[in-house]
PDB file of all heavy atoms in Angstrom:
ATOM      1  N   LEU A   1     -10.724   4.916  23.022  1.00 67.00           N
ATOM      2  CA  LEU A   1     -11.383   5.801  22.063  1.00 67.00           C
ATOM      3  C   LEU A   1     -12.810   5.368  21.748  1.00 67.00           C
ATOM      4  O   LEU A   1     -13.596   6.172  21.247  1.00 67.00           O
ATOM      5  CB  LEU A   1     -10.576   5.857  20.758  1.00 67.00           C
ATOM      6  CG  LEU A   1      -9.276   6.661  20.817  1.00 67.00           C
ATOM      7  CD1 LEU A   1      -8.590   6.635  19.470  1.00 67.00           C
ATOM      8  CD2 LEU A   1      -9.529   8.091  21.237  1.00 67.00           C
ATOM      9  N   ASP A   2     -13.138   4.117  21.994  1.00 62.00           N
ATOM     10  CA  ASP A   2     -14.497   3.610  21.700  1.00 62.00           C
ATOM     11  C   ASP A   2     -14.854   3.875  20.237  1.00 62.00           C
ATOM     12  O   ASP A   2     -15.807   4.586  19.907  1.00 62.00           O
ATOM     13  CB  ASP A   2     -15.512   4.249  22.636  1.00 62.00           C
ATOM     14  CG  ASP A   2     -16.860   3.523  22.575  1.00 62.00           C
ATOM     15  OD1 ASP A   2     -16.875   2.383  22.087  1.00 62.00           O
ATOM     16  OD2 ASP A   2     -17.863   4.108  23.004  1.00 62.00           O
ATOM     17  N   ILE A   3     -14.028   3.311  19.335  1.00 61.00           N
ATOM     18  CA  ILE A   3     -14.175   3.561  17.905  1.00 61.00           C
ATOM     19  C   ILE A   3     -15.422   2.877  17.363  1.00 61.00           C
ATOM     20  O   ILE A   3     -15.678   1.699  17.645  1.00 61.00           O
ATOM     21  CB  ILE A   3     -12.928   3.067  17.143  1.00 61.00           C
ATOM     22  CG1 ILE A   3     -11.685   3.806  17.652  1.00 61.00           C
ATOM     23  CG2 ILE A   3     -13.083   3.259  15.647  1.00 61.00           C
ATOM     24  CD1 ILE A   3     -10.409   3.306  17.032  1.00 61.00           C
ATOM     25  N   ASN A   4     -16.198   3.627  16.591  1.00 61.00           N
ATOM     26  CA  ASN A   4     -17.364   3.067  15.909  1.00 61.00           C
ATOM     27  C   ASN A   4     -16.894   2.424  14.607  1.00 61.00           C
ATOM     28  O   ASN A   4     -16.666   3.103  13.607  1.00 61.00           O
ATOM     29  CB  ASN A   4     -18.394   4.159  15.641  1.00 61.00           C
ATOM     30  CG  ASN A   4     -19.723   3.585  15.157  1.00 61.00           C
ATOM     31  OD1 ASN A   4     -19.822   2.395  14.876  1.00 61.00           O
ATOM     32  ND2 ASN A   4     -20.731   4.425  15.073  1.00 61.00           N
ATOM     33  N   VAL A   5     -16.726   1.105  14.629  1.00 58.00           N
ATOM     34  CA  VAL A   5     -16.146   0.412  13.476  1.00 58.00           C
ATOM     35  C   VAL A   5     -17.060   0.501  12.262  1.00 58.00           C
ATOM     36  O   VAL A   5     -16.600   0.673  11.129  1.00 58.00           O
ATOM     37  CB  VAL A   5     -15.874  -1.062  13.848  1.00 58.00           C
ATOM     38  CG1 VAL A   5     -15.240  -1.797  12.673  1.00 58.00           C
ATOM     39  CG2 VAL A   5     -14.978  -1.139  15.069  1.00 58.00           C
ATOM     40  N   ALA A   6     -18.357   0.400  12.462  1.00 59.00           N
ATOM     41  CA  ALA A   6     -19.298   0.442  11.331  1.00 59.00           C
ATOM     42  C   ALA A   6     -19.234   1.788  10.617  1.00 59.00           C
ATOM     43  O   ALA A   6     -19.226   1.866   9.386  1.00 59.00           O
ATOM     44  CB  ALA A   6     -20.707   0.166  11.827  1.00 59.00           C
ATOM     45  N   LYS A   7     -19.173   2.863  11.393  1.00 62.00           N
ATOM     46  CA  LYS A   7     -19.095   4.194  10.782  1.00 62.00           C
ATOM     47  C   LYS A   7     -17.757   4.412  10.114  1.00 62.00           C
ATOM     48  O   LYS A   7     -17.649   5.080   9.083  1.00 62.00           O
ATOM     49  CB  LYS A   7     -19.327   5.257  11.859  1.00 62.00           C
ATOM     50  CG  LYS A   7     -19.389   6.668  11.323  1.00 62.00           C
ATOM     51  CD  LYS A   7     -19.703   7.658  12.426  1.00 62.00           C
ATOM     52  CE  LYS A   7     -19.770   9.081  11.871  1.00 62.00           C
ATOM     53  NZ  LYS A   7     -20.076  10.064  12.947  1.00 62.00           N
ATOM     54  N   MET A   8     -16.693   3.847  10.685  1.00 60.00           N
ATOM     55  CA  MET A   8     -15.371   4.007  10.112  1.00 60.00           C
ATOM     56  C   MET A   8     -15.237   3.282   8.781  1.00 60.00           C
ATOM     57  O   MET A   8     -14.484   3.700   7.900  1.00 60.00           O
ATOM     58  CB  MET A   8     -14.327   3.498  11.105  1.00 60.00           C
ATOM     59  CG  MET A   8     -12.876   3.712  10.679  1.00 60.00           C
ATOM     60  SD  MET A   8     -11.727   3.084  11.920  1.00 60.00           S
ATOM     61  CE  MET A   8     -12.161   1.346  11.937  1.00 60.00           C
ATOM     62  N   ARG A   9     -15.977   2.183   8.612  1.00 61.00           N
ATOM     63  CA  ARG A   9     -15.892   1.386   7.397  1.00 61.00           C
ATOM     64  C   ARG A   9     -16.798   1.888   6.278  1.00 61.00           C
ATOM     65  O   ARG A   9     -16.786   1.319   5.192  1.00 61.00           O
ATOM     66  CB  ARG A   9     -16.269  -0.065   7.721  1.00 61.00           C
ATOM     67  CG  ARG A   9     -15.245  -0.791   8.588  1.00 61.00           C
ATOM     68  CD  ARG A   9     -14.052  -1.193   7.805  1.00 61.00           C
ATOM     69  NE  ARG A   9     -13.057  -1.869   8.617  1.00 61.00           N
ATOM     70  CZ  ARG A   9     -11.941  -2.398   8.147  1.00 61.00           C
ATOM     71  NH1 ARG A   9     -11.683  -2.341   6.860  1.00 61.00           N
ATOM     72  NH2 ARG A   9     -11.071  -2.972   8.951  1.00 61.00           N
ATOM     73  N   GLU A  10     -17.573   2.936   6.525  1.00 63.00           N
ATOM     74  CA  GLU A  10     -18.512   3.401   5.506  1.00 63.00           C
ATOM     75  C   GLU A  10     -17.800   3.917   4.255  1.00 63.00           C
ATOM     76  O   GLU A  10     -18.204   3.660   3.144  1.00 63.00           O
ATOM     77  CB  GLU A  10     -19.407   4.497   6.100  1.00 63.00           C
ATOM     78  CG  GLU A  10     -20.429   3.961   7.100  1.00 63.00           C
ATOM     79  CD  GLU A  10     -21.278   5.066   7.681  1.00 63.00           C
ATOM     80  OE1 GLU A  10     -21.004   6.247   7.355  1.00 63.00           O
ATOM     81  OE2 GLU A  10     -22.195   4.773   8.463  1.00 63.00           O
ATOM     82  N   GLY A  11     -16.713   4.663   4.423  1.00 63.00           N
ATOM     83  CA  GLY A  11     -16.014   5.218   3.265  1.00 63.00           C
ATOM     84  C   GLY A  11     -14.837   4.393   2.800  1.00 63.00           C
ATOM     85  O   GLY A  11     -13.959   4.899   2.095  1.00 63.00           O
ATOM     86  N   PHE A  12     -14.809   3.106   3.197  1.00 65.00           N
ATOM     87  CA  PHE A  12     -13.667   2.264   2.838  1.00 65.00           C
ATOM     88  C   PHE A  12     -13.596   2.010   1.343  1.00 65.00           C
ATOM     89  O   PHE A  12     -12.527   2.032   0.744  1.00 65.00           O
ATOM     90  CB  PHE A  12     -13.760   0.944   3.609  1.00 65.00           C
ATOM     91  CG  PHE A  12     -12.656  -0.024   3.287  1.00 65.00           C
ATOM     92  CD1 PHE A  12     -11.388   0.157   3.812  1.00 65.00           C
ATOM     93  CD2 PHE A  12     -12.884  -1.109   2.456  1.00 65.00           C
ATOM     94  CE1 PHE A  12     -10.367  -0.731   3.516  1.00 65.00           C
ATOM     95  CE2 PHE A  12     -11.874  -1.994   2.151  1.00 65.00           C
ATOM     96  CZ  PHE A  12     -10.613  -1.801   2.691  1.00 65.00           C
ATOM     97  N   VAL A  13     -14.742   1.770   0.716  1.00 71.00           N
ATOM     98  CA  VAL A  13     -14.758   1.437  -0.714  1.00 71.00           C
ATOM     99  C   VAL A  13     -14.333   2.633  -1.554  1.00 71.00           C
ATOM    100  O   VAL A  13     -13.661   2.482  -2.581  1.00 71.00           O
ATOM    101  CB  VAL A  13     -16.174   0.952  -1.112  1.00 71.00           C
ATOM    102  CG1 VAL A  13     -16.225   0.590  -2.593  1.00 71.00           C
ATOM    103  CG2 VAL A  13     -16.579  -0.237  -0.273  1.00 71.00           C
ATOM    104  N   SER A  14     -14.677   3.843  -1.140  1.00 75.00           N
ATOM    105  CA  SER A  14     -14.318   5.026  -1.923  1.00 75.00           C
ATOM    106  C   SER A  14     -12.815   5.260  -1.951  1.00 75.00           C
ATOM    107  O   SER A  14     -12.286   5.800  -2.929  1.00 75.00           O
ATOM    108  CB  SER A  14     -15.035   6.263  -1.364  1.00 75.00           C
ATOM    109  OG  SER A  14     -14.659   6.475  -0.015  1.00 75.00           O
ATOM    110  N   TYR A  15     -12.119   4.859  -0.879  1.00 74.00           N
ATOM    111  CA  TYR A  15     -10.666   5.035  -0.830  1.00 74.00           C
ATOM    112  C   TYR A  15      -9.904   3.821  -1.346  1.00 74.00           C
ATOM    113  O   TYR A  15      -8.665   3.838  -1.389  1.00 74.00           O
ATOM    114  CB  TYR A  15     -10.208   5.318   0.606  1.00 74.00           C
ATOM    115  CG  TYR A  15     -10.706   6.632   1.146  1.00 74.00           C
ATOM    116  CD1 TYR A  15     -11.716   6.667   2.094  1.00 74.00           C
ATOM    117  CD2 TYR A  15     -10.171   7.838   0.712  1.00 74.00           C
ATOM    118  CE1 TYR A  15     -12.187   7.874   2.598  1.00 74.00           C
ATOM    119  CE2 TYR A  15     -10.625   9.042   1.203  1.00 74.00           C
ATOM    120  CZ  TYR A  15     -11.639   9.062   2.150  1.00 74.00           C
ATOM    121  OH  TYR A  15     -12.101  10.255   2.641  1.00 74.00           O
ATOM    122  N   LEU A  16     -10.606   2.766  -1.723  1.00 76.00           N
ATOM    123  CA  LEU A  16      -9.947   1.539  -2.169  1.00 76.00           C
ATOM    124  C   LEU A  16      -9.103   1.731  -3.428  1.00 76.00           C
ATOM    125  O   LEU A  16      -7.972   1.231  -3.485  1.00 76.00           O
ATOM    126  CB  LEU A  16     -10.999   0.445  -2.379  1.00 76.00           C
ATOM    127  CG  LEU A  16     -10.462  -0.953  -2.680  1.00 76.00           C
ATOM    128  CD1 LEU A  16      -9.573  -1.432  -1.537  1.00 76.00           C
ATOM    129  CD2 LEU A  16     -11.605  -1.931  -2.905  1.00 76.00           C
ATOM    130  N   PRO A  17      -9.560   2.446  -4.487  1.00 83.00           N
ATOM    131  CA  PRO A  17      -8.695   2.623  -5.659  1.00 83.00           C
ATOM    132  C   PRO A  17      -7.392   3.344  -5.350  1.00 83.00           C
ATOM    133  O   PRO A  17      -6.326   2.966  -5.864  1.00 83.00           O
ATOM    134  CB  PRO A  17      -9.571   3.445  -6.622  1.00 83.00           C
ATOM    135  CG  PRO A  17     -10.970   3.158  -6.194  1.00 83.00           C
ATOM    136  CD  PRO A  17     -10.911   2.991  -4.708  1.00 83.00           C
ATOM    137  N   VAL A  18      -7.454   4.367  -4.498  1.00 83.00           N
ATOM    138  CA  VAL A  18      -6.224   5.084  -4.130  1.00 83.00           C
ATOM    139  C   VAL A  18      -5.278   4.160  -3.378  1.00 83.00           C
ATOM    140  O   VAL A  18      -4.059   4.151  -3.610  1.00 83.00           O
ATOM    141  CB  VAL A  18      -6.577   6.327  -3.281  1.00 83.00           C
ATOM    142  CG1 VAL A  18      -5.306   7.083  -2.905  1.00 83.00           C
ATOM    143  CG2 VAL A  18      -7.533   7.222  -4.028  1.00 83.00           C
ATOM    144  N   GLY A  19      -5.826   3.340  -2.477  1.00 79.00           N
ATOM    145  CA  GLY A  19      -4.989   2.397  -1.740  1.00 79.00           C
ATOM    146  C   GLY A  19      -4.341   1.365  -2.653  1.00 79.00           C
ATOM    147  O   GLY A  19      -3.175   1.001  -2.462  1.00 79.00           O
ATOM    148  N   ILE A  20      -5.077   0.889  -3.657  1.00 85.00           N
ATOM    149  CA  ILE A  20      -4.518  -0.086  -4.593  1.00 85.00           C
ATOM    150  C   ILE A  20      -3.385   0.534  -5.407  1.00 85.00           C
ATOM    151  O   ILE A  20      -2.342  -0.099  -5.643  1.00 85.00           O
ATOM    152  CB  ILE A  20      -5.630  -0.626  -5.512  1.00 85.00           C
ATOM    153  CG1 ILE A  20      -6.627  -1.468  -4.703  1.00 85.00           C
ATOM    154  CG2 ILE A  20      -5.042  -1.456  -6.643  1.00 85.00           C
ATOM    155  CD1 ILE A  20      -7.808  -1.967  -5.505  1.00 85.00           C
ATOM    156  N   VAL A  21      -3.554   1.795  -5.832  1.00 88.00           N
ATOM    157  CA  VAL A  21      -2.501   2.473  -6.605  1.00 88.00           C
ATOM    158  C   VAL A  21      -1.229   2.595  -5.783  1.00 88.00           C
ATOM    159  O   VAL A  21      -0.122   2.290  -6.246  1.00 88.00           O
ATOM    160  CB  VAL A  21      -3.001   3.853  -7.077  1.00 88.00           C
ATOM    161  CG1 VAL A  21      -1.841   4.655  -7.672  1.00 88.00           C
ATOM    162  CG2 VAL A  21      -4.111   3.697  -8.103  1.00 88.00           C
ATOM    163  N   PHE A  22      -1.351   3.031  -4.531  1.00 84.00           N
ATOM    164  CA  PHE A  22      -0.172   3.178  -3.678  1.00 84.00           C
ATOM    165  C   PHE A  22       0.455   1.825  -3.366  1.00 84.00           C
ATOM    166  O   PHE A  22       1.685   1.703  -3.279  1.00 84.00           O
ATOM    167  CB  PHE A  22      -0.545   3.906  -2.383  1.00 84.00           C
ATOM    168  CG  PHE A  22      -0.560   5.395  -2.519  1.00 84.00           C
ATOM    169  CD1 PHE A  22      -1.747   6.067  -2.745  1.00 84.00           C
ATOM    170  CD2 PHE A  22       0.622   6.128  -2.437  1.00 84.00           C
ATOM    171  CE1 PHE A  22      -1.773   7.449  -2.880  1.00 84.00           C
ATOM    172  CE2 PHE A  22       0.607   7.506  -2.557  1.00 84.00           C
ATOM    173  CZ  PHE A  22      -0.584   8.181  -2.787  1.00 84.00           C
ATOM    174  N   ALA A  23      -0.362   0.788  -3.195  1.00 82.00           N
ATOM    175  CA  ALA A  23       0.180  -0.539  -2.945  1.00 82.00           C
ATOM    176  C   ALA A  23       0.972  -1.048  -4.142  1.00 82.00           C
ATOM    177  O   ALA A  23       2.053  -1.636  -3.990  1.00 82.00           O
ATOM    178  CB  ALA A  23      -0.954  -1.500  -2.605  1.00 82.00           C
ATOM    179  N   LEU A  24       0.466  -0.809  -5.346  1.00 89.00           N
ATOM    180  CA  LEU A  24       1.199  -1.223  -6.547  1.00 89.00           C
ATOM    181  C   LEU A  24       2.497  -0.443  -6.708  1.00 89.00           C
ATOM    182  O   LEU A  24       3.525  -0.999  -7.122  1.00 89.00           O
ATOM    183  CB  LEU A  24       0.312  -1.045  -7.785  1.00 89.00           C
ATOM    184  CG  LEU A  24      -0.903  -1.989  -7.876  1.00 89.00           C
ATOM    185  CD1 LEU A  24      -1.745  -1.667  -9.100  1.00 89.00           C
ATOM    186  CD2 LEU A  24      -0.458  -3.440  -7.908  1.00 89.00           C
ATOM    187  N   LEU A  25       2.476   0.862  -6.374  1.00 90.00           N
ATOM    188  CA  LEU A  25       3.708   1.649  -6.444  1.00 90.00           C
ATOM    189  C   LEU A  25       4.756   1.140  -5.465  1.00 90.00           C
ATOM    190  O   LEU A  25       5.947   1.016  -5.804  1.00 90.00           O
ATOM    191  CB  LEU A  25       3.395   3.128  -6.169  1.00 90.00           C
ATOM    192  CG  LEU A  25       2.649   3.882  -7.274  1.00 90.00           C
ATOM    193  CD1 LEU A  25       2.322   5.308  -6.821  1.00 90.00           C
ATOM    194  CD2 LEU A  25       3.472   3.908  -8.559  1.00 90.00           C
ATOM    195  N   MET A  26       4.332   0.830  -4.243  1.00 84.00           N
ATOM    196  CA  MET A  26       5.271   0.289  -3.259  1.00 84.00           C
ATOM    197  C   MET A  26       5.809  -1.067  -3.695  1.00 84.00           C
ATOM    198  O   MET A  26       6.998  -1.362  -3.533  1.00 84.00           O
ATOM    199  CB  MET A  26       4.582   0.174  -1.899  1.00 84.00           C
ATOM    200  CG  MET A  26       4.245   1.507  -1.260  1.00 84.00           C
ATOM    201  SD  MET A  26       3.397   1.315   0.321  1.00 84.00           S
ATOM    202  CE  MET A  26       4.629   0.440   1.259  1.00 84.00           C
ATOM    203  N   LEU A  27       4.946  -1.897  -4.277  1.00 83.00           N
ATOM    204  CA  LEU A  27       5.389  -3.202  -4.768  1.00 83.00           C
ATOM    205  C   LEU A  27       6.403  -3.043  -5.899  1.00 83.00           C
ATOM    206  O   LEU A  27       7.408  -3.769  -5.955  1.00 83.00           O
ATOM    207  CB  LEU A  27       4.185  -4.014  -5.228  1.00 83.00           C
ATOM    208  CG  LEU A  27       4.481  -5.416  -5.773  1.00 83.00           C
ATOM    209  CD1 LEU A  27       5.118  -6.280  -4.687  1.00 83.00           C
ATOM    210  CD2 LEU A  27       3.207  -6.069  -6.298  1.00 83.00           C
ATOM    211  N   ALA A  28       6.173  -2.076  -6.793  1.00 86.00           N
ATOM    212  CA  ALA A  28       7.111  -1.841  -7.893  1.00 86.00           C
ATOM    213  C   ALA A  28       8.467  -1.373  -7.363  1.00 86.00           C
ATOM    214  O   ALA A  28       9.525  -1.814  -7.850  1.00 86.00           O
ATOM    215  CB  ALA A  28       6.528  -0.805  -8.854  1.00 86.00           C
ATOM    216  N   VAL A  29       8.461  -0.502  -6.373  1.00 83.00           N
ATOM    217  CA  VAL A  29       9.726  -0.029  -5.792  1.00 83.00           C
ATOM    218  C   VAL A  29      10.471  -1.172  -5.112  1.00 83.00           C
ATOM    219  O   VAL A  29      11.695  -1.315  -5.250  1.00 83.00           O
ATOM    220  CB  VAL A  29       9.452   1.120  -4.797  1.00 83.00           C
ATOM    221  CG1 VAL A  29      10.722   1.480  -4.045  1.00 83.00           C
ATOM    222  CG2 VAL A  29       8.923   2.342  -5.530  1.00 83.00           C
ATOM    223  N   MET A  30       9.749  -2.029  -4.396  1.00 78.00           N
ATOM    224  CA  MET A  30      10.390  -3.164  -3.728  1.00 78.00           C
ATOM    225  C   MET A  30      10.981  -4.139  -4.742  1.00 78.00           C
ATOM    226  O   MET A  30      12.094  -4.648  -4.555  1.00 78.00           O
ATOM    227  CB  MET A  30       9.377  -3.868  -2.830  1.00 78.00           C
ATOM    228  CG  MET A  30       8.932  -3.051  -1.631  1.00 78.00           C
ATOM    229  SD  MET A  30       7.590  -3.826  -0.702  1.00 78.00           S
ATOM    230  CE  MET A  30       8.386  -5.332  -0.166  1.00 78.00           C
ATOM    231  N   VAL A  31      10.249  -4.398  -5.830  1.00 81.00           N
ATOM    232  CA  VAL A  31      10.766  -5.297  -6.865  1.00 81.00           C
ATOM    233  C   VAL A  31      11.999  -4.693  -7.535  1.00 81.00           C
ATOM    234  O   VAL A  31      12.975  -5.387  -7.834  1.00 81.00           O
ATOM    235  CB  VAL A  31       9.666  -5.601  -7.896  1.00 81.00           C
ATOM    236  CG1 VAL A  31      10.244  -6.325  -9.104  1.00 81.00           C
ATOM    237  CG2 VAL A  31       8.564  -6.439  -7.257  1.00 81.00           C
ATOM    238  N   TYR A  32      11.980  -3.371  -7.732  1.00 79.00           N
ATOM    239  CA  TYR A  32      13.125  -2.713  -8.361  1.00 79.00           C
ATOM    240  C   TYR A  32      14.375  -2.768  -7.480  1.00 79.00           C
ATOM    241  O   TYR A  32      15.484  -2.980  -7.951  1.00 79.00           O
ATOM    242  CB  TYR A  32      12.776  -1.257  -8.670  1.00 79.00           C
ATOM    243  CG  TYR A  32      13.953  -0.443  -9.199  1.00 79.00           C
ATOM    244  CD1 TYR A  32      14.445  -0.651 -10.485  1.00 79.00           C
ATOM    245  CD2 TYR A  32      14.565   0.496  -8.385  1.00 79.00           C
ATOM    246  CE1 TYR A  32      15.519   0.070 -10.952  1.00 79.00           C
ATOM    247  CE2 TYR A  32      15.645   1.229  -8.848  1.00 79.00           C
ATOM    248  CZ  TYR A  32      16.123   1.010 -10.130  1.00 79.00           C
ATOM    249  OH  TYR A  32      17.191   1.730 -10.591  1.00 79.00           O
ATOM    250  N   VAL A  33      14.174  -2.585  -6.161  1.00 72.00           N
ATOM    251  CA  VAL A  33      15.322  -2.571  -5.254  1.00 72.00           C
ATOM    252  C   VAL A  33      15.860  -3.970  -5.010  1.00 72.00           C
ATOM    253  O   VAL A  33      17.071  -4.214  -5.047  1.00 72.00           O
ATOM    254  CB  VAL A  33      14.929  -1.897  -3.918  1.00 72.00           C
ATOM    255  CG1 VAL A  33      16.047  -2.040  -2.896  1.00 72.00           C
ATOM    256  CG2 VAL A  33      14.619  -0.430  -4.138  1.00 72.00           C
ATOM    257  N   VAL A  34      14.955  -4.938  -4.779  1.00 70.00           N
ATOM    258  CA  VAL A  34      15.380  -6.281  -4.417  1.00 70.00           C
ATOM    259  C   VAL A  34      15.613  -7.155  -5.646  1.00 70.00           C
ATOM    260  O   VAL A  34      16.440  -8.075  -5.620  1.00 70.00           O
ATOM    261  CB  VAL A  34      14.330  -6.936  -3.486  1.00 70.00           C
ATOM    262  CG1 VAL A  34      14.773  -8.317  -3.051  1.00 70.00           C
ATOM    263  CG2 VAL A  34      14.094  -6.056  -2.267  1.00 70.00           C
ATOM    264  N   GLY A  35      14.924  -6.874  -6.731  1.00 67.00           N
ATOM    265  CA  GLY A  35      14.989  -7.731  -7.904  1.00 67.00           C
ATOM    266  C   GLY A  35      16.316  -7.658  -8.637  1.00 67.00           C
ATOM    267  O   GLY A  35      17.209  -6.862  -8.320  1.00 67.00           O
ATOM    268  N   PRO A  36      16.465  -8.491  -9.664  1.00 65.00           N
ATOM    269  CA  PRO A  36      17.742  -8.545 -10.409  1.00 65.00           C
ATOM    270  C   PRO A  36      18.017  -7.320 -11.260  1.00 65.00           C
ATOM    271  O   PRO A  36      19.169  -7.021 -11.570  1.00 65.00           O
ATOM    272  CB  PRO A  36      17.576  -9.803 -11.288  1.00 65.00           C
ATOM    273  CG  PRO A  36      16.094  -9.971 -11.429  1.00 65.00           C
ATOM    274  CD  PRO A  36      15.485  -9.462 -10.160  1.00 65.00           C
ATOM    275  N   VAL A  37      16.961  -6.566 -11.643  1.00 59.00           N
ATOM    276  CA  VAL A  37      17.188  -5.399 -12.489  1.00 59.00           C
ATOM    277  C   VAL A  37      17.585  -4.166 -11.704  1.00 59.00           C
ATOM    278  O   VAL A  37      18.130  -3.239 -12.242  1.00 59.00           O
ATOM    279  CB  VAL A  37      15.923  -5.064 -13.294  1.00 59.00           C
ATOM    280  CG1 VAL A  37      16.042  -5.468 -14.705  1.00 59.00           C
ATOM    281  CG2 VAL A  37      14.707  -5.535 -12.619  1.00 59.00           C
ATOM    282  N   GLY A  38      17.286  -4.153 -10.430  1.00 55.00           N
ATOM    283  CA  GLY A  38      17.540  -2.978  -9.605  1.00 55.00           C
ATOM    284  C   GLY A  38      18.984  -2.867  -9.177  1.00 55.00           C
ATOM    285  O   GLY A  38      19.847  -3.672  -9.557  1.00 55.00           O
ATOM    286  N   PRO A  39      19.298  -1.848  -8.393  1.00 53.00           N
ATOM    287  CA  PRO A  39      20.670  -1.670  -7.909  1.00 53.00           C
ATOM    288  C   PRO A  39      21.058  -2.777  -6.944  1.00 53.00           C
ATOM    289  O   PRO A  39      20.221  -3.348  -6.246  1.00 53.00           O
ATOM    290  CB  PRO A  39      20.606  -0.314  -7.188  1.00 53.00           C
ATOM    291  CG  PRO A  39      19.173  -0.138  -6.831  1.00 53.00           C
ATOM    292  CD  PRO A  39      18.379  -0.812  -7.909  1.00 53.00           C
ATOM    293  N   ASP A  40      22.341  -3.073  -6.909  1.00 51.00           N
ATOM    294  CA  ASP A  40      22.856  -4.148  -6.058  1.00 51.00           C
ATOM    295  C   ASP A  40      23.000  -3.632  -4.631  1.00 51.00           C
ATOM    296  O   ASP A  40      24.098  -3.348  -4.164  1.00 51.00           O
ATOM    297  CB  ASP A  40      24.197  -4.639  -6.600  1.00 51.00           C
ATOM    298  CG  ASP A  40      24.597  -5.960  -5.962  1.00 51.00           C
ATOM    299  OD1 ASP A  40      23.792  -6.496  -5.179  1.00 51.00           O
ATOM    300  OD2 ASP A  40      25.708  -6.432  -6.228  1.00 51.00           O
ATOM    301  N   VAL A  41      21.835  -3.489  -3.949  1.00 47.00           N
ATOM    302  CA  VAL A  41      21.871  -2.919  -2.598  1.00 47.00           C
ATOM    303  C   VAL A  41      22.396  -3.940  -1.594  1.00 47.00           C
ATOM    304  O   VAL A  41      23.307  -3.670  -0.824  1.00 47.00           O
ATOM    305  CB  VAL A  41      20.460  -2.443  -2.188  1.00 47.00           C
ATOM    306  CG1 VAL A  41      20.488  -1.848  -0.786  1.00 47.00           C
ATOM    307  CG2 VAL A  41      19.953  -1.406  -3.177  1.00 47.00           C
ATOM    308  N   MET A  42      21.809  -5.115  -1.583  1.00 46.00           N
ATOM    309  CA  MET A  42      22.245  -6.174  -0.671  1.00 46.00           C
ATOM    310  C   MET A  42      22.592  -7.432  -1.466  1.00 46.00           C
ATOM    311  O   MET A  42      22.316  -8.544  -1.040  1.00 46.00           O
ATOM    312  CB  MET A  42      21.149  -6.475   0.355  1.00 46.00           C
ATOM    313  CG  MET A  42      20.905  -5.356   1.337  1.00 46.00           C
ATOM    314  SD  MET A  42      22.328  -5.027   2.381  1.00 46.00           S
ATOM    315  CE  MET A  42      22.345  -6.521   3.365  1.00 46.00           C
ATOM    316  N   GLY A  43      23.190  -7.243  -2.638  1.00 46.00           N
ATOM    317  CA  GLY A  43      23.493  -8.366  -3.502  1.00 46.00           C
ATOM    318  C   GLY A  43      24.828  -9.002  -3.187  1.00 46.00           C
ATOM    319  O   GLY A  43      25.343  -8.957  -2.070  1.00 46.00           O
ATOM    320  N   THR A  44      25.445  -9.574  -4.233  1.00 47.00           N
ATOM    321  CA  THR A  44      26.688 -10.318  -4.039  1.00 47.00           C
ATOM    322  C   THR A  44      27.840  -9.406  -3.638  1.00 47.00           C
ATOM    323  O   THR A  44      28.717  -9.800  -2.875  1.00 47.00           O
ATOM    324  CB  THR A  44      27.047 -11.040  -5.344  1.00 47.00           C
ATOM    325  OG1 THR A  44      27.097 -10.075  -6.414  1.00 47.00           O
ATOM    326  CG2 THR A  44      25.994 -12.077  -5.673  1.00 47.00           C
TER     327      THR A  44
END
């Protein structure tokens, strides 16, 4: 594809807040599923 990395990285900062929000949501879901408060999916 001969990707232009410099041009691709131009709008990276503008999308950073949205990426952080989704990352925190995924982290919260993982903590809920795996953690002690969540459902016993793979527990005892």
Side-chain angles (χ1 to χ4, degrees):
L1 286 180
D2 193 17
I3 300 176
N4 190 351
V5 181
K7 185 177 180 180
M8 185 180 61
R9 291 284 179 176
E10 288 179 356
F12 178 77
V13 180
S14 60
Y15 294 107
L16 187 59
V18 180
I20 292 176
V21 170
F22 277 97
L24 292 177
L25 288 176
M26 292 179 61
L27 180 62
V29 172
M30 292 173 62
V31 170
Y32 174 72
V33 172
V34 182
V37 256
D40 194 4
V41 180
M42 292 296 291
T44 55

